[in-house]
Every structure is written in C-alpha cells, then in structure tokens.
C-alpha cells in the first residue's frame, strides 16, 4: 500500500537516531540550540512565562524536567513554559519557506523529554534535527495559503515537537507516524493573536511543544492517530491550505537538511519588518543622515509585511514588535532594535513618534511574488535637503543568503544571556553548547546560574 505523507515522515524521523548525519547538519543543530537558549533565557523572566509559572504552580517543583533557571517541572509543563519563553522576545529562529519558527517548540520539547530520559547531547541534537526536518517540510508544503489566517509556529510547531520527542522516547517509524497523526489534530494558533496588544502569541509555541510531547508519549503507549490526516480528503492539507504537494515535501528527506538553512534573527521584533529595518540602516550608514533629516520613507514589501506590521500601534512592547513604522523609526533614531527598544522611554520617544508619521508601508507586487522564500523590501527615503535615496534590500541580515557567523551568534548569545545568568554562567553554558555532541547527558542544562 502507498504510504501516507505522515507515514513517510514518521519512518524518516525514526531513522535519525542512527543515521550517518553530515557534520554540517550537526553543527547547524548546535547553532539552533545556542540561538534557542539566547532567546529563551530573557523570555523566561518575562510575561507570559512568569504568568504560566503562577498558573501552573501545582505542576512545578517536582518532575524530571526543568524550566530555564532550574525549577523542576513535569515534562509537559517544562515544554509548555520553555516553549512560551522562547517565543517571547521575538529573537527566535525562522525557516523562511515555511513562515515558521521551528526552534521554540521543537527544542523545548526535545529538552524536556531529553532531560527526563537521560539523553546524551548527541541524541538531543539528533532529535532537534528530526523535528526541524519534518516540520519545516510540512510548513513549506502548507504554504502561503495556510499563513493567510494561521500562525504557523502554532500549527506546524506541533509536528517538530512530536518528531523530536518521539525520537528521544525511542519510537519506531510506525509509532512516529501515529504521534504525528495525533498531533495534527492539536494544530492551533490564529494570526489575530498578534494583530494588537496581546500576550497570547508566545503561547502558540508553548502549546505546540506541549502538544508534541503529549502525542509522542501517548504513541509510545499505543495511541493510534489517523495516518491520512494530512493528505486525505478533508485532511489538514485541504482544510487549512490549498492542496499541498506531499510527494515533493518528502522527496529529499535524508538528503537535504533544512536545519542548515535557518534565519538567525538580528533584531528583536517580527521578522516581516527585518528587510525594511536593514535597508533603512544601510542607507543611513551610507549617506549619514539623522532621523530628524528624514522628510518621508516609503516602504514597499510583501503581503505579510503590510498585513502584519504595516500598522502604527506601539503603546506596549507586544504591539511595538509588530509595527514597522515604529521599528524603522526607532532603528534610525537609536541605531538598533534589541531588547532595550521597548523601554517606556523608547516607546514614548518624541523623535521616533514624529518620524513614524512620515513612514508609509505598501504592497510591492514584485517583492510579494518572492515571498515566502525570499524576504525583501524596497525603500525610498526623501531627506530635508532634497535628496531622494532608493534602496532594494534583497535579504534580511541573518538569512541564509546573508548569514550571521558563529562569532556573530556568540555575540547575540552573550548579549541576551548575560543579563539573566551572568557573565560566568553565560560563558560556561556557551562552551558546553558548542560541544553538546560530546556531552554524555543533559545535566548541565538543569542549573545555568
């Protein structure tokens, strides 16, 4: 009988535990884990993760897994809270063709199960690779039609979490297929959650991590899913997209590694604004103008740039992270969009507020045709002295075509980790993560301070 898409994905996921993986894939997975810790640590001490700790207090201070800063937790609770924390400060990785943040749910699930099962560092990295390879292909196949309403990190993330958790739980190919089939029914997360002042968006990643763990551990004990739930009539592909090509999605499994094609975020905000930020800052470096010198900025972008970030709401950090006019104005005024971009002083900066009103965002059909595989922007900046500056930004800094180096990643990690666990703790953790494939266990992840 012909295998369903999920049966093929499940069979592949089970092989990753013993596959002869290229060293480049292992190295890329370590980069993803380092980046995950960089974005999760600051998120762990902010809402909504801190709110979840209070809401789920009866599930904490016991269990075989831990939260970021060492508090014991049940496996699913750790996956939920750590996954939520990872998606909070908007620095988590992106697989552009799937419009998806794989690290937040996949690594949160893998870490929780890996801690509970006494996994080695290499087994943990293999689980991460399995989760990335399965989920990124599902996300890319679901495509733009899916992203019209859904938040892919919430809907595609459960597959990454299930594949990673399933590998660490020792599932065979059949069990992996059933875990993926079950988790498909948990896919959730609407874009409306981040089109305004809301804290629920990070919970999409946390829910995805939790759902993946639940599906994998249930499959371990015999729970059966519906194997055709992706590709059958009335399945996820038809119900939530426009007829994905599942044969194409599974064709290169085990030969190409999407984990090597990740975007490492260089700004702490929605990635749909990145190309505009990078383009504006490139023009400013080249032509040496100040924010006050700008008469107008016209940004041409793709559909999600306009729909998700083409607004002027910036009264709170949650809203400001999704306002391209604020982000571009703040970057030109202060030189960066990092964690300090959302202090009350920066949010209320009168220079930023005045420049925002002179920024417009519109759809550029040529750039939109490149989305989601290429994230570009076109800018026209008119200065007070009469100069008009035009710039095409073909990629975002941090994209695979304009990547951050390992040294750049180290710098990002230290910037985000040191305020939470101190200079010594950050240096020690970073060294351990770069040698993760040699670690006999994950005990070092339980106490980071």
């Amino acid at each position: 009988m012909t295998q369903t898409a999920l049966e093929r994905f499940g069979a592949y996921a089970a092989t990753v535990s013993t596959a002869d993986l290229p060293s480049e894939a292992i190295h890329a997975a370590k980069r993803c884990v380092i980046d995950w810790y960089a974005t999760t640590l600051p998120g762990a001490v902010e809402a909504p993760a801190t709110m979840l700790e209070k809401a789920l207090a009866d599930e904490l201070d016991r269990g075989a897994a831990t939260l970021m800063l060492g508090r014991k937790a049940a496996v699913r609770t750790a996956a939920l809270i750590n996954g939520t924390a990872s998606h909070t400060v908007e620095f988590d990785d992106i697989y552009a063709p799937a419009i998806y943040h794989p690290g937040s749910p996949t690594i949160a699930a893998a870490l929780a199960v890996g801690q509970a099962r006494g996994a080695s560092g290499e087994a943990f990295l293999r689980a991460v690779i399995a989760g990335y390879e399965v989920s990124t292909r599902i996300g890319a196949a679901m495509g733009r039609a899916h992203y019209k309403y859904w938040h892919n990190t919430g809907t595609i993330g459960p597959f990454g979490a299930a594949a990673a958790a399933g590998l660490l739980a020792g599932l065979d190919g059949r069990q992996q297929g059933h875990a993926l089939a079950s988790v498909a029914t948990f896919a959730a997360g609407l874009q409306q959650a981040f089109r305004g002042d809301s804290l629920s968006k990070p919970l999409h990643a946390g829910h995805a991590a939790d759902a993946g763990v639940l599906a994998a551990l249930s499959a371990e004990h015999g729970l059966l899913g519906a194997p055709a739930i992706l590709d059958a009539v009335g399945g996820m592909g038809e119900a939530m997209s426009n007829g994905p090509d599942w044969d194409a999605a599974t064709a290169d499994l085990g030969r190409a590694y999407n984990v090597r094609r990740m975007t490492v975020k260089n700004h702490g905000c929605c990635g749909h604004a990145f190309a505009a930020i990078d383009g504006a800052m490139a023009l400013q470096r080249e032509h040496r103008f100040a924010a006050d010198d700008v008469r107008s900025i016209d940004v041409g972008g793709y559909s999600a740039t306009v729909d998700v970030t083409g607004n002027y709401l910036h009264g709170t950090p949650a809203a400001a992270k999704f306002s391209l006019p604020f982000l571009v104005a703040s970057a030109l005024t202060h030189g960066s969009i990092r964690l300090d971009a959302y202090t009350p002083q920066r949010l209320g900066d009168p220079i930023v507020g005045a420049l925002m009103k002179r920024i417009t965002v519109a759809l550029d059909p040529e750039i939109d045709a490149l989305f989601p595989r290429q994230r570009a922007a076109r800018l026209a900046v008119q200065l007070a002295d009469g100069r008009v500056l035009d710039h095409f930004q073909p990629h975002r800094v941090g994209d695979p075509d304009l990547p951050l180096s390992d040294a750049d990643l180290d710098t990002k990690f230290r910037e985000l980790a040191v305020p939470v666990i101190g200079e010594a703790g950050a240096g020690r953790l970073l060294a351990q993560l770069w040698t993760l494939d040699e670690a006999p266990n994950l005990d070092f992840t339980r106490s980071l301070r």
Side-chain angles (χ1 to χ4, degrees):
M1 293 180 62
T2 302
Q3 285 185 311
T4 67
L6 281 184
E7 286 171 334
R8 295 196 295 274
F9 279 122
Y12 164 76
T15 68
V16 179
S17 60
T18 57
D20 184 14
L21 299 175
S23 59
E24 294 86 357
I26 294 290
H27 183 80
K30 284 193 281 190
R31 281 176 55 97
C32 291
V33 174
I34 290 168
D35 197 38
W36 182 83
Y37 270 94
T39 191
T40 305
L41 282 164
V45 295
E46 290 190 16
T50 52
M51 295 173 175
L52 289 179
E53 287 193 50
K54 294 175 182 177
L56 302 173
D58 60 344
E59 299 178 25
L60 298 175
D61 302 317
R62 57 185 174 84
T66 60
L67 304 186
M68 271 292 92
L69 300 181
R71 191 176 184 184
K72 288 185 177 181
V75 172
R76 287 182 58 195
T77 307
L80 169 63
I81 296 178
N82 288 340
T84 298
S86 183
H87 198 49
T88 295
V89 300
E90 292 290 340
F91 264 111
D92 45 337
D93 64 9
I94 303 168
Y95 183 66
I99 324 175
Y100 162 51
H101 302 275
S104 290
T106 302
I107 297 175
L111 181 62
V113 177
Q115 288 177 331
R117 300 294 176 108
S120 69
E122 181 184 344
F124 171 65
L125 287 172
R126 287 175 177 270
V128 170
I129 291 171
Y132 272 59
E133 298 309 316
V134 168
S135 62
T136 55
R137 284 169 172 79
I138 293 174
M142 294 293 283
R144 286 184 66 167
H146 182 67
Y147 192 69
K148 183 175 181 180
Y149 301 112
W150 302 99
H151 178 211
N152 294 17
T153 300
T155 56
I156 306 303
F159 295 103
L167 185 142
L168 291 168
L171 303 191
D172 62 25
R174 176 178 174 276
Q175 291 170 315
Q176 280 276 21
H178 282 294
L180 294 171
S182 292
V183 89
T185 66
F186 302 151
L190 292 166
Q191 284 195 28
Q192 190 61 36
F194 50 88
R195 301 205 177 193
D197 187 11
S198 165
L199 286 177
S200 58
K201 179 178 183 277
L203 271 68
H204 292 175
H207 166 74
D210 176 22
V213 171
L214 174 61
L217 300 187
S218 298
E220 181 185 17
H221 295 283
L223 187 74
L224 303 181
I229 201 165
L230 275 190
D231 44 11
V233 174
M236 186 175 175
E238 182 179 275
M240 300 169 71
S241 187
N242 61 350
D245 185 344
W246 296 114
D247 289 336
T250 58
D252 63 354
L253 279 169
R255 298 198 308 274
Y257 288 88
N258 291 346
V259 72
R260 299 179 60 194
R261 298 285 299 171
M262 301 308 302
T263 293
V264 176
K265 276 192 170 188
N266 194 44
H267 308 296
C269 61
C270 177
H272 296 313
F274 278 23
I277 297 170
D278 291 330
M281 294 180 71
L283 281 174
Q284 188 179 53
R285 286 192 300 272
E286 181 179 356
H287 298 281
R288 300 181 180 277
F289 59 84
D292 283 342
D293 298 327
V294 175
R295 181 172 293 169
S296 67
I297 300 177
D298 296 318
V299 177
Y302 52 89
S303 57
T305 299
V306 178
D307 296 342
V308 178
T309 68
N311 66 83
Y312 295 82
L313 302 174
H314 68 291
T316 65
K321 292 172 185 177
F322 293 85
S323 170
L324 184 150
F326 168 79
L327 296 166
V328 169
S330 187
L332 291 178
T333 303
H334 297 284
S336 67
I337 299 295
R338 315 300 285 183
L339 294 183
D340 61 358
Y342 309 106
T343 62
Q345 293 77 18
R346 289 276 293 267
L347 293 177
D349 188 326
I351 296 175
V352 172
L355 179 53
M356 283 180 64
K357 298 175 182 177
R358 304 195 294 274
I359 297 176
T360 62
V361 187
L363 184 72
D364 183 311
E366 292 183 2
I367 288 174
D368 190 50
L370 303 174
F371 177 71
R373 293 191 174 274
Q374 185 174 341
R375 313 294 182 89
R378 200 183 312 275
L379 292 89
V381 178
Q382 185 172 0
L383 300 179
D385 61 10
R387 285 182 292 166
V388 177
L389 312 175
D390 294 312
H391 179 79
F392 175 67
Q393 184 69 31
H395 303 286
R396 304 170 298 185
V397 174
D399 277 342
D401 297 288
L402 203 59
L404 296 185
S405 67
D406 288 352
D408 293 331
L409 179 59
D410 285 353
T411 299
K412 174 182 174 178
F413 176 89
R414 290 181 183 279
E415 175 190 343
L416 298 178
V418 167
V420 183
I421 59 174
E423 187 73 46
R428 182 169 57 251
L429 176 60
L430 183 59
Q432 290 167 321
L433 293 175
W434 275 124
T435 56
L436 186 54
D437 51 329
E438 303 169 13
N441 54 56
L442 301 175
D443 288 351
F444 73 90
T445 64
R446 297 181 183 274
S447 180
L448 303 183
R449 282 176 165 159

